[in-house]
Amino acid sequence: TLEVLKSMKAVVKSSDSERGEIIVDASDFTGTVSITATSYTEVAVDIIVMTFNILPSAKGKKIIEQFYDLLDKKVPLKGIALHRR
């Protein structure tokens, strides 16, 4: 996960192994990556992104999709779900 974030030019600002959270900062977004063990052999990886755009756009969704695409190249993904609030 850290390799993927670094390839996206994101800098780790904070990490909490007890909560399984990594807070990152990049030039065009800030994000929180949460890693939760769902079983002994699987983990769930969630990312929340806040972009710095004045006009509404799909930039946040694109960043999340890029993150999961890069992560898929490193480890096998079981599935992806994008949820909107």
Side-chain angles (χ1 to χ4, degrees), residues 12-32:
V12 175
K13 291 295 183 181
S14 174
S15 65
D16 185 347
S17 60
E18 187 174 307
R19 291 182 177 205
E21 290 184 346
I22 303 169
I23 299 171
V24 296
D25 194 19
S27 61
D28 56 346
F29 72 93
T30 295
T32 302

Side-chain angles (χ1 to χ4, degrees), residues 39-77:
S39 71
Y40 291 111
T41 59
E42 294 179 346
V43 296
V45 179
D46 298 316
I47 183 169
I48 300 169
V49 172
M50 182 178 73
T51 59
F52 306 122
N53 291 339
I54 294 173
L55 300 173
S57 67
K59 182 71 174 169
K61 182 179 178 184
K62 291 175 187 173
I63 291 169
I64 292 170
E65 288 173 344
Q66 177 188 12
F67 173 80
Y68 284 119
D69 287 342
L70 292 170
L71 187 62
D72 188 32
K73 292 176 184 172
K74 299 284 182 188
V75 295
L77 293 179

